[in-house]
Amino acid sequence: MSGPIITIDGPSGSGKSTISRLLADRLGYVYLDTGAMYRAVGLKAAKSGLDLDDPASLEVLLADLDLQLLPGSADTVVMMDGRDVSLEIRSAAMGMMASKVSAYGPVRAKMTALQQHMARNGEVVAEGRDTGTIVFPGARHKFYLNASAPERAKRRTAQLHELGMTANYQEILAQIEKRDHDDSARTLAPLRAAADAVWIDCTKMDIPAVLQFMLDKIREET
Ligand code: DC
C-alpha cells in the first residue's frame, strides 16, 4: 500500500509553495508543485508562437512535451525538453500563461495523469488548485489555504523581488485578482476547496503558525 498524500490548494500567493515545501521537509515527504507543471506548459506555449485559442495547437504542443520535476532541497528543479526552466517559469507573465493554458482539457488531463504517476508511492505533499478535488480526491489530509488579495499581492511582489525579478504591487494585485477569477470560474477543475478540506485563512498568520497548525491537524487526523 502506498503512503499518505497531503493536498494544499488555494489561490495564487496564499503561501502554498512555502508551506508545502516546509511541510514535506518536516515529514520527509516529496513536495509536488503542480503549478510549476502548468507554468512549464505555459512557457512552452509562449515560446511556440502557436495560436492558443485553437485547442488543436495545444494538442500538438503536448504531444512532444518532455517534463520532469526533480524535487530538491530548495525550489523544485523543473526540466522541460532537456532544459532547466526553474527560474524562467516563475515570472508573473508565466503565471498568467499557466492560468490560460490550464483551462484546456487536454492540458489538464495530461498534467493530472503525470501528477498521479509522480505520487504513486505516496508520502507526497501536493499543492495547486485541484489537488484535493480532482487529482487526489482520496488524499488522507487536505487543506485549503487562503489570504486576502492585498496580502497575497504583497507576498508575491516580495517573492518576485527576492528572485531578482521586477514586480509592481498594483500590477501583481490586478493579476492575482484576474487569476482568482479565471481559475475559479473555469469549467474544468476550478479552484475550489474539497468538501473535506480544512480551511486556513493565513492573512494574519505567519509561516511557522500555519505549519504548526497543519502538523497538529495531521496528527489529530492520523
Ligand atoms: O500555483 P501557481 O501560481 O504556480 O499556478 C500557476 C497557474 O497554474 C494557476 O494560476 C492556475 C494553474 N494551476 C492549475 O490550474 N491547477 C493546479 N493544480 C495548479 C496550477
Side-chain angles (χ1 to χ4, degrees), residues 15 32 37 39 44 47 90 104 117 136 142 145 175:
L32 178 56
M37 299 168 73
R39 283 170 180 265
K44 190 169 167 103
K47 289 206 177 294
R90 292 296 157 200
Y104 292 97
H117 181 73
F136 305 115
K142 297 182 187 178
L145 197 58
Q175 289 179 353

Side-chain angles (χ1 to χ4, degrees), residues 15 17 38 44 50-51 59 84 148 158 162 176 192 203 208 222:
S17 304
Y38 288 99
K44 190 169 167 103
L50 292 170
D51 173 11
E59 303 249 18
D84 183 346
S148 72
E162 265 169 42
I176 276 186
R192 194 153 298 160
T203 308
T222 304

Side-chain angles (χ1 to χ4, degrees), residues 146-177:
N146 205 350
S148 72
E151 179 61 27
R152 288 186 282 125
K154 201 173 96 190
R155 292 179 192 172
R156 183 43 61 89
T157 307
Q159 202 180 38
L160 289 167
H161 285 158
E162 265 169 42
L163 290 172
M165 295 179 181
T166 48
N168 168 280
Y169 170 81
Q170 286 303 338
E171 281 173 20
I172 298 292
L173 178 60
Q175 289 179 353
I176 276 186
E177 283 170 343

Side-chain angles (χ1 to χ4, degrees), residues 68-110:
Q68 284 178 41
L69 262 62
L70 315 176
S73 53
D75 250 340
T76 306
V77 173
V78 183
M79 300 293 296
M80 189 177 63
D81 302 333
R83 218 162 53 79
D84 183 346
V85 295
S86 313
L87 188 61
E88 220 175 324
I89 59 167
R90 292 296 157 200
S91 68
M94 282 315 121
M96 298 305 282
M97 276 304 284
S99 182
K100 186 167 168 85
V101 297
S102 69
Y104 292 97
V107 174
R108 296 214 75 84
K110 180 146 186 168

